[in-house]
Amino acid sequence: MANTRRYYYLDCIKIFAIIFVVFNHTNARGFFLFSQQMNSPLFYFYLLVSLVCKVAVPLLFMVSGALLLNKKESLGVLWKKRILRYTIIVIVFSFIRYLFDLQYYNNWNSFTLLGFFRYIYAAPMEIPYWFLYTYLAALIMLPFLRALATKLSEQEFKYLIYLQLILTGILPIMQYVFRMGSVDLSVPFVSTDVIFYMLLGYYLHVRRPDIAANKSIVRTVWILAFLGLVITIAMVLYQFHLTHVLSEQSSQTFFMLFTILPAGAIFLFFQNHEQKLKSRKQHLFINFFAPAVLGVYLLEEMYRILLLPVFTWLLPLVGSFIACWIWVLVVVSLAALTINVVRLIPPVKKYL
């Protein structure tokens, strides 16, 4: 039977990740601030923070793999408990967002049910809620992923990790530096982030939880993570040197190089601190934010729009970077508070 013990470090990873997910959506106010500060001594710091925030979604996938791939459920339970639940969540919150947009843009005359269902598949919803669409696909594939995870040997897990480093780290650099063109070596379990990171989370949490206590391995992972970030920064600047373009889209060409390394390092860091998360104050903090992470993701874009005056007011006082982080933390806190209040309604709690 699957272990039902609660792991507070996984909750902490979720909280860490959702904060950086929100920061990733702040555009030039925070995430893309580095492009406007190229002559600033803080340019590399701003760029580094933007790179680190890219581990947020992989960490959420890793937590899902750690929690779900070791469970045993029938297809009926899977569809009723997980897939149907997330489908309902997507539809309900898409409708809320649809109404929000109509109100915000004063466009109530265009309200139709057909318009709403088109809206679900259009950019306004598909882009901010892409994580849920991806996660739904992973849930549908869950029986196969569970079988795969439990059957992979230690050597095969390591092989999977090495392939990830090569195909998503080394190969893209070679293609660009040596002008090799696009070499499409798509390996499903490696190239598909949701599958790979769920398997990695399972591996570190279920198969090899001892790695987090091995100081030598953890130190090596952190060193490699730092080197990976340095190489990524070098590639971003190299591309800019060649193209003289540093748009938000073009600059992210290499942002996901070696993401596995900082994601793994951060996961191991929190995992190693599981035994230290014992105080009542820590549990109060975790119990407030962790169950609300999904809801924060669903609400954060609307709250960012509504709470933009927080950033605007702080901007001349503390500068864009600090103002952005305060804005992000206010958004996350108020969205979590909203979700916790809504979860007091019994029928709602089982969905959120």
Side-chain angles (χ1 to χ4, degrees):
M1 183 176 293
N3 192 344
T4 57
R5 169 190 165 189
R6 180 175 181 180
Y7 292 88
Y8 285 98
Y9 86 88
L10 293 175
D11 289 331
C12 290
I13 292 174
K14 287 165 58 179
I15 297 169
F16 174 90
I18 195 61
I19 291 173
F20 275 89
V21 165
V22 178
F23 179 79
N24 189 47
H25 297 159
T26 56
N27 305 112
R29 299 181 181 92
F31 171 73
F32 193 53
L33 180 63
F34 64 88
S35 69
Q36 304 174 27
Q37 303 287 335
M38 294 199 68
N39 296 321
S40 168
L42 293 175
F43 166 77
Y44 289 101
F45 173 72
Y46 294 151
L47 178 54
L48 180 64
V49 173
S50 296
L51 291 176
V52 171
C53 87
K54 285 300 183 180
V55 306
V57 170
L59 284 173
L60 290 174
F61 288 148
M62 289 174 73
V63 171
S64 295
L67 293 174
L68 296 181
L69 294 188
N70 202 37
K71 291 182 179 294
K72 295 182 179 179
E73 299 171 321
S74 67
L75 289 176
V77 171
L78 171 64
W79 274 87
K80 182 179 179 181
K81 182 180 178 181
R82 305 193 188 281
I83 298 174
L84 179 60
R85 172 196 172 203
Y86 272 87
T87 302
I88 292 173
I89 288 173
V90 170
I91 294 174
V92 169
F93 276 87
S94 296
F95 188 68
I96 293 172
R97 177 57 200 274
Y98 178 58
L99 297 179
F100 175 84
D101 277 0
L102 293 178
Q103 173 65 29
Y104 187 76
Y105 296 107
N106 194 23
N107 194 26
W108 284 103
N109 292 334
S110 65
F111 173 82
T112 64
L113 287 178
L114 179 59
F116 162 64
F117 284 106
R118 287 176 175 171
Y119 179 86
I120 292 179
Y121 289 96
M125 282 313 307
E126 187 274 332
I127 292 177
Y129 283 1
W130 74 268
F131 176 85
L132 283 184
Y133 292 106
T134 303
Y135 192 55
L136 270 174
L139 290 178
I140 293 172
M141 293 291 293
L142 202 53
F144 308 109
L145 295 181
R146 284 170 172 162
L148 176 65
T150 56
K151 296 298 182 181
L152 284 176
S153 67
E154 175 77 9
Q155 184 179 22
E156 289 165 341
F157 268 112
K158 291 179 179 179
Y159 178 57
L160 196 66
I161 293 171
Y162 295 148
L163 284 177
Q164 167 77 197
L165 289 169
I166 293 170
L167 296 184
T168 67
I170 296 174
L171 185 60
I173 294 175
M174 292 179 62
Q175 290 174 354
Y176 195 81
V177 172
F178 298 106
R179 309 294 195 277
M180 294 166 58
S182 177
V183 181
D184 185 15
L185 293 179
S186 179
V187 180
F189 300 141
V190 179
S191 305
T192 307
D193 281 352
V194 61
I195 295 177
F196 173 78
Y197 283 107
M198 286 182 72
L199 290 173
L200 181 61
Y202 169 86
Y203 175 70
L204 294 177
H205 178 72
V206 178
R207 287 286 193 89
R208 293 298 307 276
D210 58 295
I211 290 178
N214 189 316
K215 293 182 179 180
S216 177
I217 295 179
V218 172
R219 188 183 303 114
T220 300
V221 173
W222 275 107
I223 292 173
L224 291 175
F226 176 76
L227 291 175
L229 290 170
V230 170
I231 293 172
T232 302
I233 290 174
M235 288 304 301
V236 171
L237 296 180
Y238 178 65
Q239 182 187 35
F240 173 69
H241 173 74
L242 293 180
T243 64
H244 303 289
V245 175
L246 196 64
S247 66
E248 186 166 1
Q249 181 176 1
S250 67
S251 68
Q252 294 186 64
T253 302
F254 298 105
F255 264 38
M256 300 300 288
L257 293 178
F258 307 112
T259 303
I260 177 183
L261 296 172
I266 292 170
F267 190 95
L268 291 172
F269 170 81
F270 282 107
Q271 190 176 23
N272 190 43
H273 286 75
E274 168 70 18
Q275 298 303 318
K276 299 178 182 179
L277 299 172
K278 294 181 178 181
S279 74
R280 184 173 179 272
K281 289 184 178 179
Q282 289 174 323
H283 287 185
L284 286 174
F285 176 85
I286 294 171
N287 290 334
F288 177 80
F289 282 101
V293 163
L294 174 61
V296 171
Y297 174 79
L298 294 165
L299 294 177
E300 63 92 10
E301 186 174 22
M302 290 181 282
Y303 272 64
R304 273 189 292 111
I305 294 172
L306 294 173
L307 294 169
L308 183 58
V310 172
F311 172 83
T312 305
W313 181 74
L314 288 169
L315 179 60
L317 300 176
V318 296
S320 186
F321 186 77
I322 296 177
C324 181
W325 272 107
I326 295 174
W327 176 42
V328 166
L329 294 176
V330 171
V331 167
V332 172
S333 299
L334 291 183
L337 177 61
T338 302
I339 293 300
N340 278 305
V341 171
V342 172
R343 291 179 80 245
L344 294 175
I345 305 171
V348 175
K349 186 175 182 178
K350 69 176 183 178
Y351 288 97
L352 290 176

